[in-house]
Amino acid sequence: MKKLTSETLRNLYLDFFKSKGHAIIPSASLIPENDPTVLFTTAGMHPLVPYLLGEKHPAGTRLCDVQKCVRTGDIDEVGDSSHCTFFEMLGNWSLGDYFKKEMIGWSFEFLTSEKYLGIPVNDIAVTCFAGDDDCPKDGESAEHWRECGILPENIYYLPKSGNWWGPAGTTGPCGPDTEMHIIRNHEIADKLGAYDFEEAPSGTFLEIWNDVFMQYNKNAEGKYEPLKQRNVDTGMGLERTLCILNGKASVYETDIFEKAIEKIESLTGKKYGESEDITRAFRVVLDHIRTATFMLGDTKGIVPSNTDQGYILRRIIRRAVRFGRNINLPQGSLKEISATFVEKYREIYPELVKNSAKVYEELEKEETKFSKTLQQGIREFEKVASSLSEGGEIDGVTAFHLYDTYGFPVEITNEMAREKGLSVDVKGYEAAYAEHQAKSRAGSEQKFACGLADHKEETTKLHTATHLLHAALKIVCSPDVEQKGSNITEERLRFDFNFARKLTPEEVAEVERLVNEQISKNVPVVMREMSLEEAKKEGFTGLFESKYGERVKTYSIGEFSREICGGPHVANTGELGTFKIAKQENVSAGIKRIKAVLN
């Protein structure tokens, strides 16, 4: 197999699917648009859900991209050889176009052709859906693999737990998938039967790619009905694929992290790989600073806070500071490490360069804030830990004290406790948090579960109202007002925008009047597809231009609002009801938040 750099692998993948008639679309933001069920974009399919459900995509029915993703469910595992919180997903999609035969043929070609990855056919194993009482065995995919040249003994069958995608909720699109693996131990693999794949020891196979075939809809009765629009959704993790192709033991030994490792070594005098503990600390710092750089530098960039995405960002930065201390990383170093990633990705994600000053400023602020109390907090933790025997539990009030006084997120306290054979009363911590803080993050964990973007009727109305709110703020506050983020549920809209102060009561009333005036006029909401350049010339607002492809969807509400957008909209403003601003909040310096409802 070929040894490739990250740049070469990205280009190979995109060029391959471009040659198969796919339109190349840019990565969407890490912050999902109009989906309150998740905090971050967790997969390449996430921004494309409306189109997988049947909405027409401006670029056509064959799409390909490299999508920025963040998954934080395994954050405590970061430090091993493979886990990353930020990663890039190579993906391609068929929106009611080609299906299994074409996709499997292309997958085989990309994996095995000397022009592309050049992996020997005998080193590839695939898995297919075994079938159950609900849906038949996916013999069709297996047959296509055999026709391509995959050895019959290297085709395995797994149940829904292993080879099935979705639905993300209780109902919706779903279907079998087929996964491609590199055989790392032929001696073991050759002895397995077709249904014994899951019994193989860890390391026998390494997954490299996954093709999902959305061909069913699970209805409210739990039955699986054939979909009218059958889709293909694929995903290949860039970091893991690089690791496999280059024969590396860890994703951190690929070219992506090379300059950052050199920087940390020069700052600390330590060498990556010189001991297990030092290597783990390097990896945590590498991963978390890369992730923080992308979060802060995103087109919808966030800042550290105590809620939602900001809480995760704060936790990641502070965990990097703690592990950096283990390798004598000097204070003020995070921005220097971040700069290596900005440089590495400057051509691929120019928003990092554009927002680099903010990235470095926020990293430095958060590092300084946490470093002031870190040493004192660790001493306090050590006192508590020394008073407990192995297997003991740190009570919730103490865990909250470490958070409230020393800035230790409970996850850091929990991690430090595990290192000493202790546990933390997390429920007790949450009770203490709820009692002492105005805003509790209790219950926010469910936001990590991936789900479909919300296109319910009430959410669609509120999304349309957001366009009107944005236009009204430009009139009342300043033409320079721009959206800096949004979150919409069935109950309310949340809209972040740049402005130096809260609105006065008179300004709030005027914004409400302007929005409700447009609602009372029953203005049609008109969608038109055009090139991005045409949209700019016609005065459409592009909130996050770097996420758009060459062709975009535009929405006009009379002459009042003209925006580029991919979200759901009503047909007429008269459907909205009465608009009311419920609350104003400060998000960060120069960023304000409005929460509003429709009655």
Side-chain angles (χ1 to χ4, degrees), residues 309-522:
Q309 290 100 340
Y311 179 85
I312 300 303
L313 174 57
R314 170 160 287 166
R315 177 187 171 194
I316 283 171
I317 296 173
R318 293 188 172 191
R319 193 168 185 259
V321 173
R322 185 173 84 83
F323 276 88
R325 180 181 175 275
N326 295 347
I327 50 176
N328 301 324
L329 189 67
Q331 185 176 331
S333 299
L334 299 193
K335 62 183 181 183
E336 294 188 54
I337 301 166
S338 173
T340 67
F341 291 119
V342 171
E343 183 61 28
K344 178 67 177 173
Y345 292 101
R346 66 181 300 118
E347 300 298 328
I348 308 145
Y349 302 111
E351 66 268 21
L352 296 183
V353 179
K354 180 181 178 181
N355 298 320
S356 59
K358 174 199 169 186
V359 172
Y360 305 149
E361 179 185 0
E362 291 295 339
L363 280 173
E364 188 170 35
K365 280 165 55 178
E366 190 64 22
E367 182 182 8
T368 301
K369 187 184 298 184
F370 188 47
S371 295
K372 285 179 180 177
T373 56
L374 175 61
Q375 189 60 42
Q376 192 176 355
I378 289 176
R379 283 199 298 268
E380 182 70 16
F381 172 85
E382 293 292 349
K383 279 198 298 184
V384 172
S386 64
S387 69
L388 298 170
S389 57
E390 187 169 347
E393 182 179 70
I394 297 174
D395 65 85
V397 173
T398 300
F400 176 73
H401 173 67
L402 286 167
Y403 167 75
D404 192 42
T405 307
Y406 304 106
F408 279 30
V410 68
E411 294 86 358
I412 285 183
T413 302
N414 206 14
E415 186 172 38
M416 292 169 66
R418 282 201 311 274
E419 291 169 1
K420 292 185 175 292
L422 304 173
S423 62
V424 176
D425 177 12
V426 176
K427 288 187 177 179
Y429 163 83
E430 289 176 349
Y433 193 124
E435 182 180 351
H436 290 89
Q437 298 287 88
K439 293 180 180 178
S440 172
R441 65 178 288 268
S444 69
E445 285 76 13
Q446 76 263 17
K447 291 187 177 180
F448 292 103
C450 184
L452 292 177
D454 191 345
H455 282 56
K456 299 185 181 75
E457 181 181 356
E458 293 306 315
T459 313
T460 300
K461 290 179 180 178
L462 284 160
H463 176 78
T464 309
T466 302
H467 284 240
L468 296 175
L469 170 61
H470 188 198
L473 287 169
K474 283 181 173 290
I475 294 170
V476 175
C477 299
S478 166
D480 296 327
V481 163
E482 291 183 352
Q483 180 180 334
K484 296 299 180 182
S486 69
N487 179 273
I488 301 172
T489 69
E490 287 185 89
E491 290 77 32
R492 58 97 183 113
L493 68 84
R494 192 180 78 193
F495 184 83
D496 297 348
F497 61 102
N498 57 306
F499 201 52
R501 57 173 175 78
K502 284 189 175 182
L503 275 64
T504 66
E506 293 76 18
E507 288 170 332
V508 169
E510 180 62 8
V511 168
E512 290 176 341
R513 186 192 70 79
L514 288 170
V515 173
N516 286 314
E517 181 179 58
Q518 295 302 312
I519 293 173
S520 67
K521 289 181 178 179
N522 298 312

Side-chain angles (χ1 to χ4, degrees), residues 100-322:
K100 293 180 183 180
K101 183 177 178 64
E102 294 89 344
M103 189 61 238
I104 288 173
W106 292 336
S107 297
F108 182 83
E109 180 183 355
F110 187 73
L111 290 173
T112 62
S113 170
E114 287 300 323
K115 186 178 178 182
Y116 298 104
L117 302 192
I119 300 172
V121 175
N122 291 356
D123 285 345
I124 299 174
V126 300
T127 60
C128 301
F129 177 53
D132 56 21
D133 293 339
D134 296 322
C135 298
K137 178 179 177 179
D138 189 13
E140 182 184 358
S141 290
E143 180 58 30
H144 291 322
W145 283 119
R146 281 191 291 270
E147 291 170 355
C148 287
I150 296 294
L151 299 177
E153 58 266 32
N154 289 339
I155 300 174
Y156 299 87
Y157 295 91
L158 299 179
K160 275 201 177 87
S161 59
N163 273 111
W164 188 269
W165 182 89
T170 55
T171 62
C174 54
D177 63 2
T178 182
E179 296 178 357
M180 290 141 271
H181 302 256
I182 303 301
I183 302 173
R184 303 300 288 268
N185 189 322
H186 278 278
E187 185 177 350
I188 293 175
D190 291 347
K191 296 176 182 178
L192 295 176
Y195 289 88
D196 294 333
F197 181 89
E198 293 176 300
E199 303 301 318
S202 176
T204 304
F205 303 97
L206 278 178
E207 182 186 350
I208 194 171
W209 203 356
N210 184 14
D211 293 346
V212 175
F213 302 118
M214 298 181 196
Q215 63 186 99
Y216 297 103
N217 179 67
K218 185 180 180 183
N219 64 25
E221 289 74 43
K223 294 181 179 179
Y224 293 83
E225 305 167 329
L227 277 175
K228 292 181 180 177
Q229 177 180 301
R230 300 190 304 177
N231 305 306
V232 174
D233 162 26
T234 84
M236 174 186 279
L238 179 96
E239 290 82 357
R240 175 177 284 198
T241 303
L242 270 181
C243 177
I244 293 170
L245 291 173
N246 290 287
K248 300 295 185 181
S250 164
V251 295
Y252 296 98
E253 291 159 23
T254 61
D255 68 279
I256 289 172
F257 296 98
E258 186 177 17
K259 293 298 182 184
I261 288 175
E262 291 176 3
K263 174 58 68 174
I264 296 174
E265 288 179 338
S266 70
L267 290 166
T268 64
K270 306 289 185 182
K271 287 292 181 182
Y272 176 88
E274 69 178 83
S275 74
E276 188 175 326
D277 288 343
I278 287 175
T279 298
R280 181 167 187 252
F282 262 78
R283 289 172 177 174
V284 171
V285 174
L286 289 165
D287 172 81
H288 288 3
I289 298 309
R290 183 173 70 141
T291 302
T293 299
F294 272 92
M295 286 182 178
L296 288 162
D298 192 78
T299 49
K300 296 186 191 178
I302 57 174
V303 294
S305 71
N306 289 332
T307 58
D308 292 341
Q309 290 100 340
Y311 179 85
I312 300 303
L313 174 57
R314 170 160 287 166
R315 177 187 171 194
I316 283 171
I317 296 173
R318 293 188 172 191
R319 193 168 185 259
V321 173
R322 185 173 84 83

Side-chain angles (χ1 to χ4, degrees), residues 586-597:
N586 285 317
V587 178
S588 61
I591 305 295
K592 298 295 173 281
R593 172 172 294 165
I594 281 177
K595 292 183 179 178
V597 296

